[in-house]
Amino acid sequence: MPPFDDGYLFTRDDFVQMLARKWFPERTDRESGVIRDYLAAHHQEFDRLVFGKRVGAGLAPNPEHLEGVQRNTERFTKKRIDILAWAGSQPTIIEVKERVTPASLGQILTYRQLFLEEHPDALDPRLVVIGRYSDEDTIRALTGHGVDVFVYDAPESAGD
């Protein structure tokens, strides 16, 4: 699927096909498994999903570089929201981790700030962090800041 604006767009019509994917754009196999588990339980909450939504200013490109290199510098030095989900006009920022750590809080709050700077008329986004592993202290700290945390057990391997 080609990039949509600065991300990969899936609409409600794409969700059944999307859930059958082995991987998701710009995500590892392990992260894709976490995404699949989350979306299997929550896809009905959203109208559309954008994977790899870029926010922030990024670095200024060197004007002496080729035009394509300049575009890549601008694009790939911006911060990347793993998934920006929409339910009508309500945005949800979803951060995907194999292991949810305290660093996830700073990361998702940064994305929220940059998103709101770019979209000052948008509703305050819901914040979600999903992963395979975490600990009670981290989950308590994130939820204490209004972040919803979902932890999904790793699938059992065939060899176990």
Side-chain angles (χ1 to χ4, degrees):
M1 167 170 262
F4 171 77
D5 184 24
D6 56 346
Y8 301 81
L9 174 69
F10 292 86
T11 64
R12 186 174 291 277
D13 293 338
D14 304 318
F15 286 0
V16 171
Q17 182 183 35
M18 178 190 64
L19 288 172
R21 295 174 75 98
K22 178 175 171 31
W23 62 272
F24 292 91
E26 300 187 33
R27 305 287 21 127
T28 67
D29 287 346
R30 289 180 176 177
E31 291 168 334
S32 290
V34 174
I35 293 168
R36 206 171 18 265
D37 288 349
Y38 175 77
L39 291 178
H42 296 275
H43 72 276
Q44 70 282 359
E45 298 172 18
F46 306 112
D47 303 320
R48 63 194 182 283
L49 305 167
V50 178
F51 288 79
K53 168 71 174 149
R54 305 286 174 167
V55 291
L59 296 177
N62 183 335
E64 296 178 10
H65 289 164
L66 296 172
E67 198 172 302
V69 173
Q70 291 181 46
R71 280 193 307 272
N72 281 341
T73 298
E74 287 179 327
R75 175 175 165 74
F76 292 112
T77 60
K78 290 181 175 187
K79 305 296 183 262
R80 182 187 66 212
I81 296 172
D82 291 338
I83 305 169
L84 178 60
W86 292 89
S89 61
Q90 176 62 60
T92 299
I93 296 173
I94 303 168
E95 179 60 23
V96 183
K97 298 290 185 195
E98 183 170 9
R99 180 172 301 281
V100 178
T101 67
S104 304
L105 179 60
Q107 195 171 0
I108 201 160
L109 291 176
T110 298
Y111 297 155
R112 176 189 171 274
Q113 178 67 34
L114 296 174
F115 173 82
L116 288 172
E117 286 175 4
E118 291 181 13
H119 305 279
D121 295 332
L123 295 174
D124 195 16
R126 178 178 169 220
L127 303 177
V128 174
V129 176
I130 62 176
R132 287 273 181 238
Y133 312 98
S134 193
D135 61 83
E136 289 302 317
D137 289 338
T138 298
I139 293 171
R140 192 171 60 256
L142 269 73
T143 58
H145 284 277
V147 178
D148 295 323
V149 180
F150 297 91
V151 178
Y152 298 94
D153 291 333
E156 294 185 30
S157 68
D160 290 343

